[in-house]
Amino acid sequence: YVLCISVLVLIACSGGEDTSIVEQGFTRAEQQLSNQLKAVPEATEYPRTIGKDGKLKVTRKNDWTEGFYPGCLWYVYEYTNKEDWKKAAIKWTESLEPLKKMTNHHDIGFLMYCSFGNAYRLTGNEAYKDVLVESARSLCTRFNEKTGCIKSWNYRKSWNGKDEWFYPVIIDNMMNLELLYFATKVTGDSVYAKVANRHAETTAKNQFREDYSNYHVVNYDAETGEVLNQATCQGFSDNSAWARGQAWAIYGYTVVYRETLDPRYLDFVQKVADVYLERLPEDYIPYWDFDDPSIPNAPRDASAASVTASALLELSTYLPDKKGDEYKNAAIRMLTSLSSDKYQCGKSKPAFLLHSTGHLPNNSEIDAAIIYADYYYIEALIRLKNLIEDKAVI
Ligand code: GLY
């Protein structure tokens, strides 16, 4: 008994170097992905969420989330090395190939890098590389020299219907930059990385408040490059801090630092991360918007926690001891909460995590299981395993 307690104390003191959440996470992931494969046998459909009726809801290559399901399959293949997972991952990845030509919105990074990016990383198949480069080319068609950033959505009315957005850029767009850096690395053509660098710089300048929280949407004048307004679409209000928006920024600028090694970004991303960490509740899973006045009764967003945990594990490796340890331990705390019964879907449901919030003002996917929470959760678990085993985190 004394020995057992001592081992537990030792694990706790060593910063939680316990791999049990990783093992448990992947056991459950295998179970739940098997349920999804039974429910959705063909790669025309991509799991997205579980409806109020308890049934799996899918999308059909017409949304922004289809890359996450093959991405989950790739991570489970990476962890287990089982050929069946690889076969499934290839099937749901290759079916997305036509999207490489997509230019009507910015989400091609999520769609293609989470699927084909992992596919190329794990198989080295050159055909996947070509798909990714073409996807990067498609994304660059949405870049404009005047604004210095990539247009997220085409012209639309603002959420409240009062304003018009001519050149809306959303913070989520930071997640597309990894695809561009990849394209430069494999082609040797700097054009993609230049677009990514410019987008990161413009966004850092125009999309953040003094406290380093961010505006979800910045609407530009495409002729002059001027900022017309800063607003929200998915957050509580124009001036609130939408949790997933902050998570996208932490992840995005961690990637920008990795790819540029520019110390300004290392400094910047810590400020962006710190304002998020300061506002977390005790279990480290944020309310969907840090400024929702109904907190503590507001819904949580497990997806923001997954994204942030994954980013902080990477960021921790770029920082000297104290700050790096702080981020690593925060990420472990997030993953420990997400791995608890409160946030796990349980055996019978075809998803990993409960309690994400998709689009509250639109009344959609509130307190729900959503595929992108699952994707970043198992990505973070793999990163944690790599960290514990002293391997490269990504
Ligand atoms: N990229 C859309 C979202 O975060 O909900």
Side-chain angles (χ1 to χ4, degrees), residues 7-36:
V7 170
L8 286 174
V9 168
L10 267 177
I11 288 171
C13 294
S14 67
E17 310 285 280
D18 173 10
T19 53
S20 62
I21 55 170
V22 179
E23 285 144 25
Q24 174 202 298
F26 277 93
T27 304
R28 289 177 177 173
E30 283 203 90
Q31 232 156 35
Q32 283 145 346
L33 284 173
S34 300
N35 290 343
Q36 286 176 334

Side-chain angles (χ1 to χ4, degrees), residues 38-340:
K38 273 184 219 132
V40 180
E42 290 312 323
T44 45
E45 297 185 320
Y46 287 74
R48 159 75 172 248
T49 184
I50 300 175
K52 294 244 179 312
D53 57 2
K55 294 211 177 99
L56 190 65
K57 281 189 167 172
V58 297
T59 55
R60 293 182 180 80
K61 292 190 260 180
N62 54 1
D63 215 306
W64 68 279
T65 50
E66 287 83 355
F68 297 119
Y69 182 59
C72 289
L73 293 165
W74 282 117
Y75 281 130
V76 171
Y77 165 63
E78 182 175 7
Y79 184 82
T80 63
N81 225 5
K82 291 182 191 160
E83 281 301 305
D84 281 353
W85 292 121
K86 183 179 179 184
K87 266 192 216 140
I90 288 173
K91 182 168 158 180
W92 268 269
T93 294
E94 291 186 353
S95 170
L96 293 180
E97 183 173 346
L99 299 184
K100 67 188 177 186
K101 294 185 188 299
M102 194 197 73
T103 56
N104 61 334
H105 63 78
H106 72 150
D107 284 319
I108 195 163
F110 283 119
L111 289 164
M112 305 308 266
Y113 203 72
C114 300
S115 53
F116 282 92
N118 280 309
Y120 181 65
R121 184 174 64 83
L122 293 171
T123 66
N125 182 337
E126 292 290 304
Y128 296 157
K129 182 179 84 183
D130 297 342
V131 170
L132 288 161
V133 173
E134 188 163 355
S135 304
R137 261 201 305 275
S138 298
L139 181 59
C140 287
T141 64
R142 299 185 65 81
F143 178 77
N144 164 329
E145 277 295 339
K146 269 277 181 245
T147 59
C149 49
I150 301 162
K151 180 160 71 170
S152 294
W153 301 323
N154 294 342
Y155 168 87
R156 59 179 283 179
K157 284 264 171 99
S158 66
W159 177 244
N160 58 18
K162 286 187 194 142
D163 298 309
E164 292 181 291
W165 290 337
F166 299 97
Y167 195 106
V169 176
I170 62 173
I171 192 67
D172 323 30
N173 206 338
M174 287 302 301
M175 299 297 285
N176 290 313
L177 306 187
E178 198 168 10
L179 170 69
L180 300 180
Y181 289 119
F182 168 87
T184 284
K185 273 187 281 192
V186 295
T187 60
D189 185 345
S190 63
V191 68
Y192 309 102
K194 278 189 183 145
V195 168
N197 290 343
R198 195 65 205 289
H199 183 91
E201 202 181 304
T202 307
T203 300
K205 187 165 123 230
N206 297 330
Q207 204 129 2
F208 288 81
R209 304 184 184 94
E210 269 180 22
D211 70 351
Y212 296 91
S213 67
N214 66 66
Y215 297 100
H216 183 205
V217 186
V218 175
N219 173 36
Y220 291 86
D221 182 325
E223 305 294 319
T224 64
E226 191 194 333
V227 172
L228 296 175
N229 49 335
Q230 294 155 312
T232 197
C233 182
Q234 278 166 257
F236 177 77
S237 67
D238 289 348
N239 262 311
S240 70
W242 175 50
R244 195 163 56 256
Q246 201 66 19
W248 293 143
I250 298 167
Y251 196 112
Y253 280 99
T254 299
V255 170
V256 174
Y257 174 68
R258 179 212 304 158
E259 300 298 340
T260 61
L261 296 178
D262 182 337
R264 286 177 310 153
Y265 286 121
L266 187 58
D267 181 56
F268 183 75
V269 69
Q270 289 178 68
K271 290 176 172 140
V272 173
D274 288 346
V275 66
Y276 175 101
L277 292 175
E278 276 158 22
R279 302 191 69 181
L280 287 177
E282 206 169 316
D283 69 357
Y284 271 42
I285 312 300
Y287 292 96
W288 75 285
D289 188 305
F290 290 110
D291 294 302
D292 182 338
S294 64
I295 289 172
N297 298 318
R300 302 297 186 102
D301 184 9
S303 76
S306 302
V307 171
T308 305
S310 185
L312 289 182
L313 288 174
E314 178 180 357
L315 184 55
S316 73
T317 64
Y318 304 139
L319 288 159
D321 293 349
K322 197 159 166 287
K323 198 67 183 171
D325 280 351
E326 181 191 322
Y327 287 155
K328 181 176 134 190
N329 291 334
I332 291 172
R333 238 171 122 171
M334 292 165 200
L335 291 173
T336 304
S337 285
L338 292 174
S339 303
S340 70

